[in-house]
């Protein structure tokens, strides 16, 4: 098992290893690489735009978690190549982005091998075919669960996913917003199975596997040139909690609550599934409700331990999130550490509701800062809070006004 020293790998969302001595080849080994275990905060591995990042060969069984795999450049398999033979890849909670090849599999090439891809984001990769993922050759087996494949491109076919021979199954995943001359989102020249709960933006070339419908009889949300293409309505790639960058759903996205039952208990960020009427489609579960369970005024990562009020506000997903409180905070006080709470831009609104606490909750700025600052944050609702101890005299953005709320 390969872990990373948290004294070194403590950036947000992960410090970068840039390859200068060639790609990382793993041959004949069983290995787990985890960028967030042991206190590390995620790791980025870059091919420096000159080499493939990972090459699995010689009977390797590899598990990769909490990694960002980027800037690979090769003939094929820019981010990861799973070579022919008894080779196996389990990719979990990773982001594969900005990899480029002249042949197949910009992000990932599963070549006559076996791969399981779950809770992962495959975005902004490019190839001649199979821009995001290429599953290729007769004995290739690829299973894709709760992943987001978007923004990839191919010159010829399979902008997001190319299922070229072998067998490919997809569940609760987004494959949309990709481009190619043929099969812009998915191209299939081999068995392709939907297990349901997917969002496919454009079913050109794969209508037999993904018939258009919102939803169709398999429970997939599928667009077509005839019925209209589907936009998954995802945020840009960014740091929204967790050890890797993701593309979270925006308000109104068809991904929200439209997945099918799935055994994955959390999303790519580590947020629990489901958070709503049903699981969401794709790698990220929109937090429609967030529970604050610690009184400490901290801001690190709400998915690595307890969630503070500051973390809940700063990382509120743009889906009209409701922030509530654990019963353990009933009648308690959150004392701020010298900086006001709130958002300046970047949200569609949210609610902070302590109404479930019989004795309410106090937010005390301790005469060191304003309590709340909101600007261009959308509609904000505050319920059952006592707001005290605020001062705006030293506020750097809006001084001398609105000691409690601005």
């Amino acid at each position: 098992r390969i872990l990373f020293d948290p004294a070194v790998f403590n950036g947000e969302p992960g410090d970068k290893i840039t390859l200068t001595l060639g790609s990382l080849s793993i041959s004949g080994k069983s290995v787990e690489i985890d960028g967030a275990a042991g206190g590390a905060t995620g790791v980025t591995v870059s091919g420096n735009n000159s080499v493939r990042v990972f090459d699995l060969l010689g009977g390797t069984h590899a598990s990769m978690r909490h990694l960002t795999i980027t800037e690979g450049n090769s003939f094929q398999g820019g981010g990861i190549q799973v070579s022919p033979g008894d080779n196996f890849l389990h990719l979990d909670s990773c982001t594969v982005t900005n990899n480029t090849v002249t042949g197949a599999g910009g992000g990932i090439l599963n070549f006559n091998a076996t791969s399981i891809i779950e809770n992962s984001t495959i975005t902004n990769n490019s190839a001649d075919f199979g821009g995001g993922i290429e599953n290729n050759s007769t004995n290739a087996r690829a299973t894709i669960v709760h992943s987001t494949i978007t923004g990839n491109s191919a010159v010829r076919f399979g902008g997001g996913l190319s299922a070229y021979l072998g067998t490919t199954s997809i569940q609760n995943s987004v494959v949309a917003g990709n481009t190619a001359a043929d099969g812009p989102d998915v191209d299939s020249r081999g068995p392709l199975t939907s297990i349901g709960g997917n969002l496919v933006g454009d079913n050109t070339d794969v209508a037999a596997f993904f018939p258009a419908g919102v939803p169709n009889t398999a429970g997939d949300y599928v667009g077509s040139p005839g019925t209209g293409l589907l936009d998954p309505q995802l945020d840009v790639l960014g740091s929204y909690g967790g050890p890797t960058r993701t593309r979270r759903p925006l308000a109104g996205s068809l991904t929200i609550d439209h997945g099918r039952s799935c055994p994955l208990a959390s999303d790519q960020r580590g947020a629990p599934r489901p958070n709503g009427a049903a699981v969401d489609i794709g790698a990220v579960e929109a937090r429609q409700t967030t529970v604050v369970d610690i009184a400490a005024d901290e801001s690190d990562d709400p998915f690595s331990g307890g969630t503070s009020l500051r973390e809940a506000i700063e990382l509120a997903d743009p889906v009209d999130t409701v922030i509530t409180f654990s019963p353990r905070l009933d009648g308690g006080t959150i004392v701020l550490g010298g900086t006001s709470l709130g958002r300046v831009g970047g949200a569609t609104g949210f609610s902070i509701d302590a109404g479930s606490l019989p004795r309410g909750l106090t937010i005390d700025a301790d005469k060191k800062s304003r309590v709340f600052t909101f600007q261009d944050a959308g509609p904000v609702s505050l319920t059952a809070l006592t707001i005290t101890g605020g001062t705006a005299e030293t506020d750097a953005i809006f001084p001398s006004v609105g000691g409690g709320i601005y």
Side-chain angles (χ1 to χ4, degrees):
R1 190 182 189 198
I2 298 173
L3 307 179
F4 298 85
D5 185 348
V8 177
F9 296 93
N10 54 18
E12 178 63 40
D15 292 296
K16 180 186 284 190
I17 297 171
T18 300
L19 305 182
T20 59
L21 300 176
S23 63
L24 296 174
S25 295
I26 307 172
S27 181
K29 293 181 174 65
S30 180
V31 61
E32 177 186 350
I33 306 172
D34 194 330
T41 57
V43 175
T44 295
V45 186
S46 167
N48 203 26
N49 293 309
S50 59
V51 297
R52 175 184 301 123
V53 182
F54 286 104
D55 196 358
L56 310 186
L57 61 156
T60 287
H61 288 207
S63 175
M64 300 182 186
R65 294 184 173 92
H66 308 122
L67 301 176
T68 297
I69 298 165
T70 189
E71 297 171 348
N73 189 303
S74 184
F75 167 63
Q76 59 188 22
I80 305 172
Q81 177 173 267
V82 191
S83 298
D86 180 26
N87 295 303
F88 172 80
L89 169 68
H90 179 206
L91 192 75
D92 178 14
S93 301
C94 291
T95 292
V96 180
T97 185
N98 291 332
N99 299 284
T100 303
V101 300
T102 55
I108 300 170
L109 171 61
N110 185 60
F111 189 22
N112 222 21
T114 301
S115 290
I116 297 174
I117 299 165
E118 58 187 21
N119 270 345
S120 292
T121 298
I122 316 297
T123 188
N124 299 336
N125 303 285
S126 61
D128 184 40
F129 55 98
I133 300 172
E134 169 76 13
N135 188 41
N136 192 303
S137 202
T138 305
N139 294 318
R141 303 287 184 270
T143 302
I144 302 167
V145 182
H146 267 307
S147 292
T148 297
I149 304 170
T150 188
N152 303 285
S153 64
V155 175
R156 291 197 286 162
F157 54 84
L161 167 66
S162 171
Y164 195 91
L165 302 176
T167 60
T168 306
S169 65
I170 311 175
Q171 180 182 12
N172 287 350
S173 293
V174 174
V175 191
N178 305 283
T179 59
D182 293 312
D185 283 322
V186 185
D187 183 87
S188 180
R189 305 181 187 206
L192 177 63
T193 302
S194 169
I195 305 176
N198 300 294
L199 189 152
V200 176
D202 183 344
N203 72 350
T204 298
D205 288 355
V206 288
F209 303 103
F210 289 104
V214 187
N216 62 19
T217 56
D220 295 319
Y221 288 73
V222 182
S224 74
T227 61
L229 307 183
L230 296 186
D231 181 351
Q233 294 180 270
L234 304 176
D235 211 339
V236 299
L237 188 69
S239 299
Y240 307 120
T244 54
R245 292 182 174 90
T246 55
R247 297 196 60 176
R248 61 185 178 179
L250 298 171
S253 171
L254 280 174
T255 64
I256 297 173
D257 292 343
H258 287 147
R260 286 199 162 184
S261 179
C262 181
L264 299 183
S266 60
D267 73 355
Q268 181 173 344
R269 304 179 295 183
R273 295 187 190 269
N275 189 323
V279 296
D280 295 350
I281 302 172
V284 175
E285 184 82 8
R287 288 169 296 162
Q288 300 175 62
T289 301
T290 298
V291 179
V292 174
D293 56 5
I294 58 173
D297 183 30
E298 64 179 31
S299 180
D300 44 37
D301 189 338
F303 308 122
S304 63
T307 299
S308 71
L309 179 56
R310 186 175 299 278
E311 291 168 336
I313 294 171
E314 290 178 349
L315 293 174
D317 287 334
V319 292
D320 300 321
T321 295
V322 177
I323 298 171
T324 62
F325 297 88
S326 167
R328 74 181 68 166
L329 299 181
D330 185 23
T333 300
I334 294 174
V335 179
L336 305 187
T339 305
S340 67
L341 299 168
R343 293 285 293 261
V344 179
T348 58
F350 52 90
S351 301
I352 303 175
D353 188 352
S356 64
L357 304 181
R359 294 178 293 167
L361 183 71
T362 297
I363 314 297
D364 185 355
D366 198 27
K367 301 297 183 182
K368 296 177 182 177
S369 69
R370 179 184 295 116
V371 182
F372 286 107
T373 301
F374 301 112
Q375 184 184 34
D376 298 327
V380 176
S381 172
L382 307 177
T383 302
L385 298 174
T386 298
I387 298 168
T388 189
T391 177
E393 295 302 318
T394 60
D395 189 85
I397 301 177
F398 307 110
S400 304
V401 294
I405 305 172
Y406 178 88

